[in-house]
Amino acid sequence: MHELGLAQSVFDTVNHYIKDKDVTRVISVNLTIGKLRNVFPDSLTFCFEAISKDSKAEGSKMIINSTDIVGKCKTCENEFIIIDNSFICTACGHNNVEVIKGSELLIESIEVEYGN
Amino acid sequence: MEIKVLENLMKANDDFALENREIFKENSVFAVNLIGSPGAGKTTFLEKVVKQIDRDEVAVAVIEGDIATSRDAERIAKLGIHAIQINTGSGCHINANSIRKAIRELDLSAIDILFIENVGNLVCPAEFDIGENIKAAIISATEGHDKPLKYPLLFRKSSCLILNKIDLIPYTNFDKEKFYDDISKLNGDIKVFEAVCASVENDDGIDKWIKWLKIIRNLNPPIVAEFIK
């Protein structure tokens, strides 16, 4: 996916949340990224490092919680982890499944250090 | 010290997509985001749809997305349809902001179905909500039967799949059984339509697609792509 664009989005959001606060540095950024999105964590981290240079977020750790794709069967309501892109219900075998987890692209929180 | 954020990384795009969705809803426009590889036959398919659809019954318009040139919009415009070209430059997909700007040039109150032909790409267009009602995936038989499993997000998010150029199957090793089997495992709800490459008076597959579009367009509540995961 567009890791550079996403990294920019993370950076802009971090800056938005720390402005007007007495933050001296950003320690970490916590993200939740679902496996259904085409995001490579290493690429995202690399891009963020480049973008955040010389800012309060320089040197901050990017913590990425990668979530499994979880499907819910619309027939029997069974919830199950999707493996190998098989969206067939593991309980009843029907193939009308909706994804309830695994599409997230979320900044959960940031850990910061305040000044005096 | 933790600061809670809970923000969508695609917020900038998704805010525009929401706006577009509202505007389409206010104007009763049904927006179709057509996504497929370069060469899948998107523009030719749309040309056929525009020719076969009864325009007295359903008013249509087209937005074309390409890296460069206005060739596709020109082709559609020749058929007497309002066609707008978006050139994305280095962008491999249309984003919601571009659609927001493009629809300012359209009289949406006079449009029933808006076809948006996305940039040729099976990856990124699937990731970006542009405010459409449905995503329609199109792949041609010449691309191979393994594309659905290789590009799962698109085929999960699409309401329909057009299998194009089926008349060329005898010249390829496209395995129809394998293809339908894979689709069935990936998305049991997706509707598949078959279309031909050859120029025919009335492509039966296209007729079926148009009929289906008219039905889902009138569903209440209307279909909204964001709920298809």
Side-chain angles (χ1 to χ4, degrees):
Chain A
M1 221 200 134
H2 302 111
E3 278 79 356
L4 189 58
L6 290 178
Q8 185 66 56
S9 178
V10 174
F11 184 66
D12 291 344
T13 305
V14 166
N15 280 331
H16 174 76
Y17 274 79
I18 65 173
K19 77 171 184 206
D20 303 331
K21 292 190 177 82
D22 191 20
V23 169
T24 48
R25 71 180 185 107
V26 178
I27 300 167
S28 67
V29 181
N30 298 299
L31 307 177
T32 294
I33 298 179
K35 286 181 182 166
L36 202 53
R37 311 310 290 249
N38 303 313
V39 178
F40 282 102
D42 286 352
S43 298
L44 185 58
T45 305
F46 176 78
C47 290
F48 186 73
E49 279 168 8
I51 287 172
S52 59
K53 210 168 175 314
D54 299 327
S55 76
K56 287 182 183 175
E58 181 176 0
S60 61
K61 197 166 176 216
M62 190 167 251
I63 301 169
I64 299 171
N65 173 30
S66 180
T67 53
D68 281 325
I69 307 168
V70 177
K72 182 172 177 174
C73 178
K74 286 188 248 185
T75 303
C76 72
E77 298 193 359
N78 171 44
E79 292 180 15
F80 60 102
I81 293 178
I82 305 289
I83 294 166
D84 286 339
N85 288 315
S86 177
F87 289 77
I88 294 184
C89 177
T90 50
C92 72
H94 281 186
N95 65 352
N96 49 346
V97 171
E98 65 170 323
V99 168
I100 56 172
K101 272 200 193 114
S103 307
E104 303 87 352
L105 208 52
L106 205 57
I107 305 173
E108 299 274 5
S109 63
I110 53 176
E111 189 78 29
V112 300
E113 196 175 78
Y114 282 103
N116 257 354
Chain B
M1 187 78 183
E2 195 192 47
I3 301 175
K4 271 262 180 271
V5 174
L6 292 171
E7 213 164 273
N8 170 16
L9 272 173
M10 304 271 280
K11 190 175 186 304
N13 178 81
D14 289 357
D15 284 348
F16 279 115
L18 204 68
E19 251 186 70
N20 294 340
R21 193 157 274 125
E22 276 308 309
I23 292 167
F24 290 145
K25 193 173 161 194
E26 274 159 25
N27 290 276
S28 301
V29 172
F30 191 82
V32 178
N33 185 359
L34 185 65
I35 300 171
S37 304
K42 296 183 292 301
T43 313
T44 305
F45 179 80
L46 278 183
E47 279 176 319
K48 290 182 180 182
V49 168
V50 161
K51 279 184 206 159
Q52 281 180 225
I53 206 166
D54 181 353
R55 287 189 243 161
D56 290 328
E57 189 197 336
V58 178
V60 302
V62 175
I63 294 177
E64 288 285 346
D66 280 295
I67 302 261
T69 82
S70 56
R71 285 186 182 183
D72 286 354
E74 285 162 19
R75 280 169 64 179
I76 302 289
K78 277 196 182 110
L79 303 172
I81 293 292
H82 197 166
I84 293 178
Q85 182 77 53
I86 294 175
N87 285 134
T88 59
S90 56
C92 50
H93 62 274
I94 295 177
N95 62 31
N97 187 16
S98 306
I99 294 295
R100 183 72 189 86
K101 287 186 196 144
I103 58 179
R104 285 191 188 124
E105 296 176 44
L106 293 168
D107 177 8
L108 293 175
S109 64
I111 297 169
D112 296 312
I113 299 181
L114 175 64
F115 296 107
I116 301 167
E117 184 188 326
N118 217 308
V119 178
N121 184 345
L122 288 175
V123 184
C124 313
E127 297 275 6
F128 288 82
D129 182 8
I130 54 175
E132 73 274 14
N133 286 81
I134 63 164
K135 283 180 170 67
I138 176 169
I139 67 164
S140 59
T142 47
E143 291 168 68
H145 53 257
D146 58 354
K147 292 303 166 288
L149 289 187
K150 282 188 170 184
Y151 300 92
L153 187 66
L154 172 60
F155 298 96
R156 281 292 311 168
K157 285 196 151 186
S158 297
S159 304
C160 65
L161 165 57
I162 297 134
L163 175 60
N164 201 17
K165 308 188 190 178
I166 56 161
D167 42 346
L168 297 183
I169 287 177
Y171 307 101
T172 71
N173 59 358
F174 187 93
D175 185 338
K176 244 193 179 183
E177 201 178 312
K178 188 89 191 46
F179 172 79
Y180 276 101
D181 192 47
D182 286 349
I183 281 288
S184 153
K185 282 195 195 109
L186 189 57
N187 187 347
D189 293 323
I190 198 170
K191 299 281 179 290
V192 187
F193 299 87
E194 295 183 356
V196 296
C197 176
S199 205
V200 292
E201 194 54 45
N202 263 308
D203 188 333
D204 188 48
I206 287 183
D207 245 358
K208 288 190 176 122
W209 192 63
I210 292 171
K211 272 198 182 87
W212 175 79
L213 262 190
K214 287 181 188 172
I215 291 169
I216 62 161
R217 186 186 141 226
N218 291 324
L219 286 180
N220 197 12
I223 287 186
V224 173
E226 62 179 349
F227 298 119
I228 298 169
K229 289 186 183 162

